[in-house]
Amino acid sequence: MNPVAFNIYGLPIRWYGLLISTGMILAICLSYFTCKWRNVDFDSLLDVALLGIPFGIIGARLYYVIMEFDQYKDNLLDIFNIRQGGLAIHGGVILALLVSYIYTRRKKYDFWSMADIAAPSIILAQAIGRWGNFMNSEAHGGEVSKEFISKFPQFIQKGMYIDGAYYHPTFLYESLWNILVCIILLILLKKNKKRGLVIFSYMGLYSIARYFIEGLRTDSLWLGPFRVAQLVSLAGIFLWLAFLVYAKLKKEKAAD
């Protein structure tokens, strides 16, 4: 795959950046409609998003660089070069939510309602951004047979043929799962007014698939013998389940 979409005055514009940017724009467009479901002012939500997005990029890069610092310690300027990849979604989401929480507290906005609205938009952006990994020939799984890859569309087969071998299109597995989760979260956002349910469901549902997909990938970040993304995914599943138990107990207590 050619990772460069086009050139502007000799400057290559890469698909990776274009797709991530497209995902962010569509995410904001989606939240324009969904904010009405929770009576949240879109302009206030946009203020939070315009603060959270750049910090999300910083968090995603910082997370990756910390885990792979040996690659950058001899040339620190490469830390700022994100055009060829090197963004970890977990770091981005964690820092973006943290900064957004602090900001909404200072502005006295309803953080949980805003986080619930943001959740479907976040995972929609992730679904689109994964195709940037495809264009960069990264975030794929281990080697597979010609027979296995032949079940996929021709352009996927072509993109997953790297250095003389075929590989699991794990970017595709995650992108499709993220679209499904986005639909589920939109239904929850529309039908259930429980504050916090959608954002915690995002954590849990995304983490379930990410845990298993990460086990197929060849570019995992490691902490000793453990894949970091799998550890974070287990934490996300635990937080989701803990929230569901808390919400159920609180409802039962209120009914007494």
Side-chain angles (χ1 to χ4, degrees), residues 25-133:
I25 292 169
L26 291 178
I28 291 173
C29 291
L30 177 61
S31 66
Y32 174 79
F33 295 99
T34 55
C35 67
K36 301 170 186 176
W37 298 351
R38 293 292 178 89
N39 295 317
V40 170
D41 177 61
F42 176 71
D43 289 338
S44 299
L45 181 67
L46 186 59
D47 288 342
V48 178
L50 292 177
L51 181 68
I53 287 173
F55 274 98
I57 295 172
I58 292 171
R61 184 58 170 173
L62 188 61
Y63 184 102
Y64 183 85
V65 169
I66 289 173
M67 294 296 172
E68 296 285 282
F69 188 67
D70 285 345
Q71 294 185 22
Y72 301 96
K73 63 183 181 181
D74 296 325
N75 191 355
L76 297 180
L77 289 178
D78 278 352
I79 291 173
F80 303 98
N81 181 14
I82 62 173
R83 296 174 66 249
Q84 299 183 26
L87 299 176
I89 186 61
H90 284 131
V93 171
I94 291 169
L95 187 59
L97 286 177
L98 178 60
V99 170
S100 297
Y101 177 76
I102 294 171
Y103 181 75
T104 53
R105 292 278 291 181
R106 292 189 63 180
K107 288 289 187 176
K108 300 189 184 330
Y109 295 154
D110 185 344
F111 169 77
W112 292 110
S113 291
M114 287 188 168
D116 283 340
I117 292 166
S121 295
I122 292 171
I123 203 159
L124 174 63
Q126 289 178 234
I128 296 169
R130 277 300 174 207
W131 288 88
N133 296 132

